[in-house]
Amino acid sequence: MTTDSGTAAAKTPTGLKRAVGVPLLFAFIVGDTLGAGIYTLVGTMASDVGGAIWIPLLIALVVALLTAATYAELITKYPHAGGAARYADRAFGIPYVSFLVGFLMMASGITTAAALANAFAADYLTALIDVPAAPAAVVFIILLTLINLRQDCAPHPAIRGYLAQCRRLRAIGSLLFLAARAQRKHEDRVNAG
C-alpha cells in the first residue's frame, strides 16, 4: 500500500513549537522595556526634573500600557508571527508597506542596542576605567553577539540567548552602578577629610 507524498507531507506539522508561555513573555517584555532605560535615563531625568521625576515615569507607563494593549488586541485578532509587519500587511495589504514596517522595527532594535551600548560605555564603564566610549561600545556589542552565538546550541536559542543576555546586562549594570557609587563615596570621603 503506497501513500501519496503530498498527503504525507500535509500531515507533518511544519510550524514552530509553542514554548513561550505568558509568564516568560511577560518577563521578556518587562525586561526589554525597563531593563535598559532604567540604567541610562533615570539619573539624567532626575537631574532635569528633580522631585517631580514620577510625572515623566507615569506618562511613560501610560504610553507603554497603551502600546501593550494595542499589541494584545492585535495578537488575539491575528495570532500569527510577524508583529508590526504582520499587522501592517493585514491593514494595508501592500507588501512594500509590510516590508518597510518590518525593516524599521529591525532598525529600531539595532539602534536601541547601539544607543544602550554607547550609554553603558560612556556612563558606567568610564566611571571605573579610563577608556574611550565608542570603541568600548563596539567591543560590548561584539561580546554580546558572541554570547548570543554561543547560546544557539541550546533549545529555543533566540529566546534563551536574549534572556541570558538581559540577565547578564542587568547584573553587569547593577555591579558597575554599585562600584561607581562606592568609588564616588570614597572620593567624597577623601576630599572631605
Side-chain angles (χ1 to χ4, degrees), residues 50-68:
I53 191 169
W54 63 272
I55 295 172
L57 290 175
L58 184 64
I59 292 169
L61 173 68
V62 169
V63 171
L65 287 175
L66 290 174
T67 304

Side-chain angles (χ1 to χ4, degrees), residues 13 21 25 45 48-49 54 63 67 72 84 91 93 96 106 109-110 116 141 148 154 162 166 174 186 189 192:
L25 184 61
M45 197 167 43
D48 291 342
V49 298
W54 63 272
V63 171
T67 304
Y96 176 73
M106 179 193 68
I110 293 170
L116 292 174
I141 291 288
N148 278 334
Y162 182 78
C166 288
S174 298
H186 175 70
R189 275 185 271 163

Side-chain angles (χ1 to χ4, degrees), residues 19-34:
V20 178
V22 173
L24 182 60
L25 184 61
F26 180 77
F28 175 79
I29 292 170
V30 168
D32 191 36
T33 304
L34 296 179

Side-chain angles (χ1 to χ4, degrees), residues 17-132:
K17 179 183 173 188
R18 290 186 181 253
V20 178
V22 173
L24 182 60
L25 184 61
F26 180 77
F28 175 79
I29 292 170
V30 168
D32 191 36
T33 304
L34 296 179
I38 206 77
Y39 291 124
T40 58
L41 297 176
V42 172
T44 304
M45 197 167 43
S47 68
D48 291 342
V49 298
I53 191 169
W54 63 272
I55 295 172
L57 290 175
L58 184 64
I59 292 169
L61 173 68
V62 169
V63 171
L65 287 175
L66 290 174
T67 304
T70 302
Y71 271 98
E73 184 173 340
L74 285 171
I75 195 64
T76 56
K77 188 170 183 174
Y78 307 115
H80 302 284
R86 171 75 173 171
Y87 307 144
D89 182 53
R90 296 295 295 175
F92 302 109
I94 303 170
Y96 176 73
V97 172
S98 303
F99 167 78
L100 188 61
V101 168
F103 180 78
L104 291 175
M105 290 301 290
M106 179 193 68
S108 73
I110 293 170
T111 305
T112 300
L116 292 174
N118 191 36
F120 169 78
D123 294 341
Y124 296 107
L125 193 60
T126 56
L128 297 175
I129 54 176
D130 188 28
V131 294

Side-chain angles (χ1 to χ4, degrees), residues 30 39 143 151 154 158 160 167 176 180-181:
V30 168
Y39 291 124
L143 288 174
Q151 291 290 329
R160 289 186 188 270
R167 283 192 300 272
L176 288 175
R181 184 70 181 147

